[in-house]
Amino acid sequence: MFRNLGRTNLLLLISVFVWSLSVGLWFNQRQLYLGELGATPEQIGTALALEAICAAVVMIPGGFLSDRLGPRRVILGAWSLGVLGVVLMAVAQSWHTAIPGMILYRCAAAAAPAIMAFAMLSIPDRSLPGISERTLSTIWAAWPAAQIASPWLGGIIAQNTSIRTTMWIAAAILAIGIGVVLLTKPAKAESSPLQQRPLSVFRNRQFLLLTGYFALTTMVLYIGHMLLPSFLQETRGFSLATIGFLFTVSYVGAVVLNLIAGRRNPRWSFVGLLVLVWLAYLTLWRTSEVWSATVAMFMLGAIPATWIVTNACIVQVVGDRDQGRAFGFFQSLAHAGPALAAWMAGQLYGMTPGHALPLVAALVGIPVMLALWFVPGLGSSVAAPPSAKNPG
C-alpha cells in the first residue's frame, strides 16, 4: 500500500494523521466551550457560522499560493496559524475573545488543497496506472483513521481536566505535525517557477462542470447526515453510547471504503459509493435494530470516501500548474454543500413526527445525481484509464 508513495508522501500521510488527531481532540467541544464562556445558543451559532465562512474562503487563496509559492510553504504557514488560533482560544476569557482564535484556526484549512498538490508533485513515478488516485486515497485515509479514537479521547481528557487542557494538547500535537512537514523536501516543481496563468483553471470547462456537480452532490449526500444523531436518539431511541459506537463504525467504514475506492477507476467507484450511501439511508429510515443500523453506518462511511474520489477526478481534468488553485476553488465550493445541507435538514426535520424527511430527501436526491453523472461531459470526462491524462 505504501510501496509507491515515496518518502515525502509517507511523511504527508503521518502529518495528516497528526492533524486529524489534533482536530478530533477538541473540535466537537468548541460549542460547549463557548457556552462555558457565557455565549447564548444564538451567539454560538453566529460564531460557528463565521468560522465556517472562513474555512470556505481560505481554500481559494490556499490553492493559488500553493501554485505560486509552493504547497510545502502553504502547509507550514496554514498550520502555524492553526496552532496560534487554538492557543488564543485556550487563553480566552470570554466568548467574544475566543472568536478571533476560532477564525484564525480555520485558516489551517488552507493546507488541504496544498496537501493535495504537494502529494501529486511528490509521486516518484507518475507513469504507474492509478497512482494519483491511490496516493490521494492512502494519504487521506489517515484522517478518518485518527477520528476513530480522537474525539473519544478528547472527551475523556476534558471530563477529567477541562476543555482548555484539551486545546493546549491539541495545539502541541498540531505543532508536531508542522515538525513532520519540515522533514519533507520541496516538490520538484517548486525549484523552478512555473508559468503563472491565474485564471486558466476557470477556462477549463470540464473542471467547472465537475466542480458544480460535485458541490451539488455533496449537499445531497449530507442532507440526511446533518441531524442523524438527533434522528437516532429521538426517533429510534438509541442511547448516546450507542450513537457514539455507530459513528465510530462509520469512521471505520470511511477508512476501508476510502482505500478500496482509491484503487478503482474513479468514474465507477463514485457510482458505487453513492449507491452505498443510498442503501445506508434506506436502512436507517426503515430499521430500528442496532445491528442493521451498524451495517448502515459502516456503509455511510462512503460519504467521506467520495471526497477523495471527487478530488481524484479533478486531478484528471487539470494540469500540474493548475492543481493547487483547482483544489482550492473546488474545496471552497464543496464546503458550501454541507452548510446548505444543514439548513435544509433543519427545515425538513420537524415537519413530520418521525423526523425522517431529511433521509427521504437524500433518498430522492441521490438517484437524480447518479443519473446526471452519466450526462456527457461529467462522468465521461474521467472515464479514461486512471492517471492516463495529463492535460495542460
Side-chain angles (χ1 to χ4, degrees):
M1 182 169 62
F2 306 116
R3 182 176 55 200
N4 298 314
L5 288 182
R7 178 179 180 275
T8 293
N9 280 333
L10 284 173
L11 290 171
L12 281 178
L13 183 151
I14 295 171
S15 67
V16 168
F17 183 90
V18 172
W19 183 19
S20 178
L21 181 64
S22 171
V23 171
L25 286 177
W26 70 275
F27 198 68
N28 292 327
Q29 301 172 12
R30 69 198 192 285
Q31 301 96 322
L32 302 175
Y33 183 64
L34 290 174
E36 290 180 359
L37 294 177
T40 65
E42 291 79 9
Q43 292 165 339
I44 293 173
T46 300
L48 296 181
L50 288 173
E51 69 162 12
I53 291 172
C54 178
V57 169
V58 299
M59 293 289 188
I60 295 177
F64 274 78
L65 290 174
S66 177
D67 288 333
R68 188 170 185 83
L69 303 178
R72 183 175 182 269
R73 294 175 181 175
V74 173
I75 297 168
L76 293 172
W79 284 1
S80 296
L81 291 176
V83 171
L84 180 58
V86 178
V87 169
L88 289 178
M89 282 187 283
V91 301
Q93 298 301 311
S94 69
W95 72 272
H96 301 88
T97 56
I99 291 179
M102 293 175 64
I103 294 175
L104 192 61
Y105 172 77
R106 294 298 281 190
C107 291
I115 289 172
M116 294 282 191
F118 199 9
M120 292 296 96
L121 292 171
S122 301
I123 295 174
D125 186 357
R126 293 286 296 273
S127 66
L128 294 174
I131 189 62
S132 297
E133 292 75 19
R134 290 200 302 273
T135 298
L136 288 179
S137 63
T138 302
I139 289 174
W140 285 102
W143 184 277
Q147 291 289 312
I148 291 173
S150 57
W152 171 75
L153 180 60
I156 293 176
I157 295 172
Q159 183 173 337
N160 288 280
T161 55
S162 67
I163 297 178
R164 290 182 191 271
T165 301
T166 307
M167 290 180 173
W168 282 111
I169 296 173
I173 292 175
L174 185 54
I176 293 173
I178 293 175
V180 174
V181 176
L182 286 171
L183 297 176
T184 65
K185 295 180 180 180
K188 293 180 181 179
E190 295 180 52
S191 59
S192 58
L194 295 170
Q195 178 184 1
Q196 295 298 315
R197 299 187 300 168
L199 299 179
S200 61
V201 71
F202 300 110
R203 293 194 290 270
N204 185 329
R205 180 176 177 273
Q206 287 181 322
F207 167 73
L208 294 177
L209 282 174
L210 284 175
T211 296
Y213 170 80
F214 287 146
L216 184 59
T217 303
T218 301
M219 181 198 71
V220 171
L221 293 178
Y222 273 97
I223 288 177
H225 193 274
M226 285 302 182
L227 294 178
L228 189 56
S230 299
F231 174 81
L232 294 174
Q233 182 184 51
E234 296 176 16
T235 302
R236 294 292 173 249
F238 294 163
S239 67
L240 292 177
T242 299
I243 294 172
F245 165 76
L246 291 174
F247 276 88
T248 294
V249 171
S250 181
Y251 283 122
V252 174
V255 174
V256 174
L257 295 172
N258 184 57
L259 293 174
I260 293 174
R263 284 152 178 77
R264 301 291 183 271
N265 186 304
R267 183 186 188 188
W268 298 109
S269 59
F270 182 74
V271 171
L273 291 172
L274 261 60
V275 171
L276 284 177
V277 176
W278 190 87
L279 291 173
Y281 282 141
L282 178 64
T283 303
L284 291 169
W285 178 37
R286 304 304 299 176
T287 188
S288 59
E289 301 294 333
V290 173
W291 70 268
S292 52
T294 301
V295 175
M297 292 301 288
F298 182 90
M299 291 191 293
L300 211 58
I303 292 181
T306 60
W307 187 72
I308 293 299
V309 174
T310 55
N311 279 277
C313 293
I314 295 298
V315 168
Q316 291 200 17
V317 298
V318 298
D320 287 348
R321 61 169 167 258
D322 290 329
Q323 283 185 356
R325 69 200 75 181
F327 285 137
F329 178 75
F330 167 65
Q331 292 176 24
S332 178
L333 189 60
H335 269 68
L340 184 57
W343 178 83
M344 295 179 66
Q347 300 299 309
L348 295 171
Y349 187 78
M351 288 186 175
T352 60
H355 307 301
L357 282 184
L359 296 177
V360 174
L363 290 171
V364 172
I366 290 173
V368 175
M369 302 315 298
L370 278 170
L372 290 175
W373 182 238
F374 293 97
V375 171
L378 284 175
S380 60
S381 65
V382 291
S387 298
K389 295 182 181 182
N390 188 22

